[in-house]
Amino acid sequence: MEFSHIPVLLNECLEGLAIDPTGIYLDGTAGGGGHSSQIARRLTTGRLVSLDQDPDAIEAAGKALEGLPATLVQTNFCNARSALYGLGIEKINGALLDLGVSSYQLDEASRGFTYREDVPLDMRMDQRQSRTAEDIVNGYEEKELYRIIRDYGEDKFAKNIAKHI
């Protein structure tokens, strides 16, 4: 399966960024490179830094950004500041975060996000990370599962869900 991305609200995002062709921009979630490539195409002497923690996304975005003024960094967007500083960038003109899980990650059975196929429960954005979702649901105590579901899932039934897991 090919990792591709059709940008959602592309024109609205580009309009909101008000791209200066000489500016520096950050795409914190490169995905398949849909938004990134459209931002980079609008730059002349400017630069785009595009981040993603998923190696499959980095590979796909690399193809989409080939020949464009863009730098790809494999990291989570929460590390954007250090990624930018590492490239000698102290200030940017704008940033975009297309948050969520991509359809590629959901549709590619080996990623372990799907309910459609009987595959191991993985759910890692970067499969080099050590713990899978299967490790967590089978290894964490009920109290810790409750905290995770409550804090990150914001589910009002977190206690009951953790109990049943």
Side-chain angles (χ1 to χ4, degrees), residues 24-42:
I24 298 174
Y25 294 87
L26 172 75
D27 183 349
T29 47
H35 285 108
S36 286
S37 63
Q38 293 303 314
I39 293 167
R41 287 181 205 291
R42 288 161 173 73

Side-chain angles (χ1 to χ4, degrees), residues 30-158:
H35 285 108
S36 286
S37 63
Q38 293 303 314
I39 293 167
R41 287 181 205 291
R42 288 161 173 73
L43 301 175
T44 53
T45 58
R47 181 177 182 189
L48 170 71
V49 177
S50 202
L51 313 176
D52 209 296
Q53 64 183 338
D54 184 338
D56 293 339
I58 291 293
E59 183 180 340
K63 292 174 185 171
L65 293 170
E66 198 168 310
L68 295 172
T71 302
L72 278 166
V73 179
Q74 186 175 342
T75 191
N76 187 296
F77 63 82
C78 71
N79 302 317
R81 180 177 295 203
S82 62
L84 290 167
Y85 284 163
L87 295 169
I89 299 170
E90 294 183 17
K91 182 178 144 187
I92 61 173
N93 296 71
L96 171 69
L97 295 173
D98 183 5
L99 302 176
V101 180
S102 73
S103 56
Y104 169 83
Q105 291 159 330
L106 295 174
D107 293 340
E108 181 61 37
S110 67
R111 299 304 298 263
F113 284 91
T114 185
Y115 295 103
R116 289 180 280 193
E117 297 183 45
D118 187 17
V119 295
L121 184 63
D122 190 319
M123 302 180 86
R124 294 174 292 174
M125 293 294 179
D126 179 349
Q127 292 185 308
R128 297 171 306 165
Q129 295 173 351
S130 58
R131 287 181 299 212
T132 66
E134 182 177 15
D135 296 332
I136 292 169
V137 298
N138 291 314
Y140 281 25
E141 296 291 325
E142 181 180 325
K143 182 179 179 181
E144 184 63 7
L145 290 173
Y146 162 66
R147 185 194 65 75
I148 291 169
I149 296 165
R150 180 198 66 208
D151 294 355
Y152 297 108
E154 299 177 1
D155 196 302
K156 65 181 178 179
F157 300 110

